[in-house]
Amino acid sequence: MPITIADVAARAKVSKTTVSRVLNGKGELDESTAARVRKVIEELGYVPSSRAVGLARGRTRVVGMLVPSLTWPWIGEVLQGAVDVLETERYGLLLFTCNRGEESMRQFGAQVSAKSFDGLLVIEPEGTLDYIAMLHARGLPVVLIDDRDVQPGQIPSVGTTNHTGAGAAARHLLEIGRRKPLVVAGPARFGCTVQRLDGFASVFAEAGHPVSPDRVLQGDFTIARGFELVQAALESGVEFDAIFAHNDLSATGAMQAVLDSGRRIPQDVAVVGFDDIPMAAHTQPPLTTVHQPLREMGEAAARTLLAHFEGSPLPNRPTVIPATFTVRGSTGVSPEPDSA
């Protein structure tokens, strides 16, 4: 039979309330009594219920995390960063996805009502921002990761430098002689899409090569859509010597369309992505891309939440971790000089 708090109390000749106070560090106790209780706990090998201890302390020592789906290729990196911090501080993680739509959100809402976790990390599932903002306004500590279009001060967030990262992609393409890029954009409703498009287009415009609207193709962050858009551009006769895709999946599809047409990468068309997911290093050729600090974003979000549990106020300004630029084979060769 498992050892119970009653067994400890009987052996130490104290009440169960006294044992509970020793476990939770609450209340004034005679030091000799506390020492005797701790010795009995050690002798019996008593392990208290983490849930019971959490309730006694007013905390669960569990953090919730809400994400759209685990199939998104970069979510694993963010998740690992958060888990590394939480496990180090002896917190658990309760993970929720929205794979089943409204049913998933009902189950999530039930756990919120049951106060199953102390705070929430969120990679926003589409259409949930108002609900998340309401939870935060009602007192649930929330930190958004990769915020899409959140007003400063509304909900604490951790993100990266989408605008400057895209600008770095543009400067790199200009440096290797590319002047006629296509842009495979993300969904227009996402803040990161607007930031990446503006950062890229502004650098080309400053260099005297504005990106016309007909060169911006409306993608959806998938391989299939990246392929379809670039294939259609090739079939329509659009001339381009570079592609900037708003994520690595779109870039992968775009590369396949280019290669299927008989063109070479990077000699004929240079390709740049965004995210630097693990597969980016293994495309053929390997993909030049803007590196999002995904694991670091997860770590920073978790640390922000844990610091709040210890009394620090949640920040009212976004935490921004700079993106970096990784050059690989998809832009590694300058265009060959014209024979004329």
Side-chain angles (χ1 to χ4, degrees):
M1 295 291 291
I3 303 299
T4 68
I5 193 171
D7 297 323
V8 175
R11 174 76 71 88
K13 296 183 172 57
V14 296
S15 68
K16 290 190 292 184
T17 300
T18 298
V19 177
S20 180
R21 286 176 177 173
V22 172
L23 290 169
N24 297 310
K26 289 186 175 182
E28 294 185 8
L29 290 171
D30 176 73
E31 183 53 39
S32 63
T33 300
R36 185 168 75 253
V37 171
R38 285 192 287 267
K39 182 179 180 182
V40 170
I41 288 172
E42 183 177 352
E43 289 174 349
L44 295 179
Y46 172 62
V47 178
S49 160
S50 59
R51 180 171 177 79
V53 172
L55 290 172
R57 291 175 175 170
R59 290 189 194 172
T60 63
R61 293 195 71 84
V62 173
V63 166
M65 188 166 187
L66 177 65
V67 304
S69 170
L70 295 179
T71 61
W72 289 21
W74 56 267
I75 281 183
E77 284 292 301
V78 177
L79 182 59
Q80 189 61 60
V83 167
D84 287 346
V85 171
L86 295 175
E87 287 186 347
T88 298
E89 299 300 326
R90 299 186 182 279
Y91 272 76
L93 180 71
L94 193 55
L95 182 63
F96 304 90
T97 73
C98 286
N99 285 340
R100 292 180 293 122
E102 291 184 4
E103 175 60 25
S104 294
M105 290 306 296
R106 277 194 293 270
Q107 289 187 350
F108 170 71
Q111 294 297 317
V112 172
S113 298
K115 298 184 178 180
S116 298
F117 43 86
D118 299 327
L120 182 65
L121 303 174
V122 180
I123 300 173
E124 181 211 336
E126 192 168 351
T128 64
L129 184 58
D130 288 345
Y131 176 55
I132 294 163
M134 179 193 71
L135 294 178
H136 180 61
R138 290 181 176 179
L140 179 67
V142 177
V143 178
L144 286 174
I145 303 170
D146 188 39
D147 58 299
R148 294 178 179 172
D149 193 18
V150 180
Q151 297 300 315
Q154 183 182 7
I155 305 176
S157 64
V158 175
T160 191
T161 47
N162 287 295
H163 189 279
T164 56
R171 281 187 290 274
H172 175 68
L173 290 173
L174 288 166
E175 287 168 0
I176 63 173
R178 309 304 164 109
R179 301 292 183 266
K180 296 179 288 186
L182 284 181
V183 177
V184 180
R189 63 188 179 278
F190 290 172
C192 62
T193 296
V194 175
Q195 295 161 10
R196 292 172 193 180
L197 180 57
D198 185 60
F200 185 84
S202 63
V203 170
F204 262 84
E206 289 168 6
H209 305 283
V211 179
S212 59
D214 63 319
R215 289 184 166 271
V216 179
L217 313 178
Q218 200 62 63
D220 64 1
F221 286 153
T222 66
I223 292 175
R225 186 63 173 157
F227 179 88
E228 292 167 1
L229 290 170
V230 174
Q231 184 183 56
L234 289 164
E235 291 174 350
S236 66
V238 176
E239 292 187 8
F240 57 92
D241 58 9
I243 298 170
F244 172 51
H246 281 187
N247 77 336
D248 292 343
L249 294 183
S250 299
T252 301
M255 289 172 68
Q256 190 59 55
V258 170
L259 295 172
D260 285 357
S261 74
R263 290 167 176 80
R264 300 166 299 169
I265 300 173
Q267 293 89 338
D268 301 319
V269 180
V271 182
V272 178
F274 204 111
D275 283 341
D276 201 16
I277 60 176
M279 72 175 287
H282 303 288
T283 57
Q284 291 301 322
L287 179 63
T288 293
T289 187
V290 180
H291 174 82
Q292 280 209 84
L294 299 169
R295 188 168 295 207
E296 293 89 340
M297 289 161 64
E299 292 172 350
R303 287 197 188 99
T304 298
L305 209 51
L306 297 190
H308 177 67
F309 297 158
E310 297 303 318
S312 298
L314 289 170
N316 56 16
R317 297 173 63 89
T319 300
V320 179
I321 304 175
T324 55
F325 195 69
T326 302
V327 178
R328 298 192 180 102
S330 67
T331 63
V333 179
S334 298
E336 295 177 356
D338 294 337
S339 57

